[in-house]
Amino acid sequence: MKERTLHHDLDAREMTRLRAFQCIREAGQISRTDIAKALNSSPATVTSACGALLEAGLIRDVEAERTDATQRGRPRVMLEVNGEALAVAGIKVARHAIHVTVVDFKGVEIGSHLSPLAASCMPAEALVMAVRQALDDACEKLALSLDAVAGVALGLPGFINGETGFMHWSSSVRERNVDFMPLFARHLPCPAFLENDANLVAKAEQFFGAGRGLRNFLVVTIEHGVGMGIVQDGQLYRGERGCGAEFGHMKVQFEGAVCQCGQRGCLEAYVGDYALIRDASVGRQGDAYKSLTDILDAARAGDRLSGEVLERASKVLGVALASLVNLFDPEHIVIARLRPRFDEAHTQAMLDALKRNTVQVDAPLPGITVRNLDQKMWARGAAAHGIERVSILKIRARGDQDAA
Ligand SMILES: [Zn+2]
């Protein structure tokens, strides 16, 4: 598990500081007493951990009104994340654009920027330089000094090791097996973190969306390809080599359709936008569909093949989602699709296939949220991820200072 290895060089005292920080971030405002209860820790330990976080400027004291009218005297002292302490940039590389969202340390958006991308697949170094340019442009637009950005979190599709920053494969990058960390160090002005983009949507759901307060949930993203983020016991699960949760490459057909990963029979070779465009365009020679919108329009206008391709995709996706329920038994699944949205009938066909293929137990199915996904969700998730990583760096730096 990456999350564990990321934390592995924090000692016990630093881990307590990190857990206290996360507790404050999740709560919004919370008293030291309530942090001690939540962490099952002694008040003295929590007071000491919070003292270090206060000195590092990551949190601050706030006075809260007493809710109990009979209690007079001193107002209750609560803790909250010091939003103005640091700014973090979340960046999502999409096929035709780079989306930058800058947030304060509480996750409140300072602003965002969209930079067009010259090509949907480019050499790694050129991509990092384009990311740097997008970051510079965003800072200029937001009248923010680059020095104020404490960290950058970058989301890419593909097989990414989020802990080490190693990319095994991505549809956005021409080379395979790229160590992004030296490239980041060369071209970016602050610590940078690479992460699989679907994991970032899971982070966004955990921080801001349907995953708030849930311990076990799944997020499935459907766009050009199909991605998934797994949150287990409140943490992202990435697998041993960092490239688990590849739902899009789960095989749904033995020796089936060719996938963009090079293998056959993957889910996204039936459900991803590129697969729908390919399959609905069969027989159209020089007049292939350009986008999913074209296929939806054709199906609505009565084109038989387009209708069949969309219906099959909905059913295949529903069956695959049922396998997820059977494997993980999650509390909730978020299915996030980039525009355009499928028709209601397609969503229903997917949900029906899901229900029919889920192991039958006398308990309700997990909650399902089907939502549109906008590129900003990725960038917000990246920013949330950046806040977590930067807070770990700051806590580690503080620990080193204490030790010196
Ligand atoms: Zn594949």
Side-chain angles (χ1 to χ4, degrees), residues 249 259 261 266:
H249 304 281
C259 177
C261 74
C266 299

Side-chain angles (χ1 to χ4, degrees), residues 98-120:
I98 297 178
H99 299 254
V100 182
T101 294
V102 182
V103 298
D104 74 10
F105 215 49
K106 270 186 173 172
V108 177
E109 186 175 324
I110 296 170
S112 62
H113 178 72
L114 184 69
S115 289
L117 197 53
S120 58

Side-chain angles (χ1 to χ4, degrees), residues 248-249 251 259-263 266 268 274:
H249 304 281
K251 304 301 179 274
C259 177
Q260 57 172 349
C261 74
Q263 294 189 331
C266 299
E268 69 176 41
Y274 76 88

